[in-house]
Amino acid sequence: MSIIGIEAVTFGVKNIAKSKKFLTDWGLKVQKTGAYGADYACVDGSEVKIRAFDSRSLPSPIQAGSTVREVTWGVEKKKDLKNLAQELSRDRKLKIFEDGSFSTLDDIGLGIKFCVSKLRNLKPKPLQYNVPGGNVRVDKPATYYDRATPQTLSHIVLGVPDFKIVESFYGERLGFRATDRYTRRGVFLRAGKYGNHHNLFVMNIDARKPKFNHLAFKVRDIHEVIGGGQFLTKRGWRSQVGPGRHYISSACFWYFESPLGGALEYCADEDIVTDKWQTREFEVGPDLFSEWTFNAGSTFNAPTAASRAK
Ligand SMILES: [Fe+2]
């Protein structure tokens, strides 16, 4: 189906002014703004949009309060849009726009939209790390970050009553692949043949309704994760967890509580996978979340080779 990844995420929020302040501090570039809300962009053009939670332009919410209302998935070609529309129109109503993009609901009632991707290719300067015996940065100080500049959207995470419903819809109807699993509990799904370890992670929660957990943004390296987190902390925003490094996906992370609902995450150095990747299974445990996390306390046991094996 040639879905590439997340193009935009739209939130319905209770406090527009606070959400604007947060997204500006987060490092996104404002595209347009008004009393109705605002649109923000990462460096590659992927967007975060905020609207009033009671705006009639938004799909119905999956939960009460400020939360995600629509995820826009980018596809390669117009032909992909046609194929997707044909597939999804078999059992649901679509709203089709002039340019061929269309919106509908997924099987948990979350608004989804599909469009031809307009994201720009990023051309980062390769990072230079000196290692013993391999000095590549000579007579030059390293890069420092006063704050973060999110480069692109990485993934979205939802808690759901039954992750298998989500896996069936995104897997069988949209062609997503399972990269890794929490046995009987959740699945990391990726959209493309080549790309991010996951664009969508869903995990069972003990609730009857889905619940938005977080949206992640890629930054350039671990130093930018920390520079961004320090900046947000100085601006008075509350860390949820981090900085740390996930075991599954290998990404360095820092999560902050968000007035948009749930949390936003800075992440860097996620695994990139292809069809050669073998889906792994992990038993859920409290310490599988990360290899290390600052302020995790003395009871934290980092996953070991033995604890990861199944
Ligand atoms: Fe994440």
Side-chain angles (χ1 to χ4, degrees):
M1 292 288 186
S2 298
I3 296 172
I4 300 166
I6 301 175
E7 193 86 3
V9 180
T10 304
F11 290 83
V13 301
K14 292 222 160 182
N15 190 332
I16 290 182
K18 193 174 179 187
S19 299
K20 284 182 180 178
K21 194 166 171 285
F22 182 64
L23 292 176
T24 301
D25 286 346
W26 191 251
L28 298 174
K29 204 170 160 193
V30 66
Q31 304 291 291
K32 54 180 196 173
T33 182
Y36 61 91
D39 293 0
Y40 292 84
C42 300
V43 174
D44 73 343
S46 50
E47 290 182 296
V48 174
K49 302 178 186 191
I50 50 170
R51 300 289 182 268
F53 79 104
D54 54 358
S55 164
R56 291 169 69 181
S57 68
L58 297 176
S60 308
I62 52 168
Q63 66 182 108
S66 301
T67 190
V68 60
R69 299 290 279 273
E70 187 172 72
V71 179
T72 303
W73 296 96
V75 304
E76 277 177 33
K77 297 174 187 150
K78 220 164 180 179
K79 204 177 109 206
D80 302 318
L81 279 183
K82 274 194 179 166
N83 292 340
L84 281 166
Q86 201 172 20
E87 167 63 25
L88 293 179
S89 62
R90 289 199 290 120
D91 61 355
R92 66 203 69 212
K93 279 192 181 159
L94 313 183
K95 187 172 170 188
I96 298 178
F97 302 93
E98 249 176 46
D99 62 357
S101 61
F102 70 91
S103 61
T104 187
L105 298 179
D106 72 6
D107 280 358
I108 57 167
L110 175 67
I112 47 174
K113 189 173 174 181
F114 300 89
C115 68
V116 176
S117 179
K118 298 185 204 84
L119 302 189
R120 290 184 285 280
N121 286 328
L122 297 171
K123 292 190 179 134
K125 286 187 191 150
L127 299 169
Q128 295 181 311
Y129 285 97
N130 289 333
V131 295
N135 295 330
V136 293
R137 198 189 72 250
V138 178
D139 296 331
K140 202 163 76 173
T143 305
Y144 300 96
Y145 299 94
D146 293 330
R147 57 181 301 183
T149 306
Q151 302 291 300
T152 185
L153 290 172
S154 168
H155 59 266
I156 188 162
V157 176
L158 301 164
V160 292
D162 182 359
F163 80 90
K164 285 186 194 135
I165 292 172
V166 179
E167 183 172 8
S168 298
F169 177 76
Y170 284 87
E172 291 161 25
R173 310 292 299 277
L174 304 181
F176 281 49
R177 297 153 171 80
T179 305
D180 286 321
R181 285 171 196 287
Y182 280 170
T183 306
R184 297 179 300 280
R185 292 286 300 279
V187 63
F188 294 84
L189 296 165
R190 66 185 191 276
K193 277 188 182 174
Y194 171 100
N196 233 25
H197 176 275
H198 57 287
N199 304 102
L200 172 64
F201 173 51
V202 283
M203 189 165 168
N204 285 354
I205 52 169
D206 190 14
R208 293 169 69 171
K209 282 192 156 193
K211 192 175 174 195
F212 169 68
N213 186 283
H214 70 269
L215 176 67
F217 299 72
K218 283 179 191 263
V219 294
R220 287 161 284 188
D221 55 54
I222 184 175
H223 308 295
E224 192 171 16
V225 170
I226 293 173
Q230 288 186 150
F231 179 77
L232 286 168
T233 305
K234 268 188 234 154
R235 301 282 288 176
W237 301 107
R238 276 178 52 169
S239 167
Q240 187 193 57
V241 58
R245 186 190 187 209
H246 287 302
Y247 171 61
I248 299 174
S249 88
S250 310
C252 295
F253 64 80
W254 200 341
Y255 298 78
F256 280 78
E257 292 175 6
S258 163
L260 283 66
L264 297 190
E265 175 191 6
Y266 288 131
C267 63
D269 196 24
E270 289 176 287
D271 293 331
I272 297 295
V273 302
T274 69
D275 280 347
K276 288 184 185 160
W277 180 269
Q278 301 284 319
T279 307
R280 303 173 299 177
E281 291 242 357
F282 300 91
E283 288 290 346
V284 181
D287 305 321
L288 191 59
F289 175 73
S290 71
E291 177 202 26
W292 54 266
T293 304
F294 275 30
N295 306 316
S298 59
T299 55
F300 176 77
N301 290 309
T304 61
S307 70
R308 292 168 198 155
K310 183 179 167 357

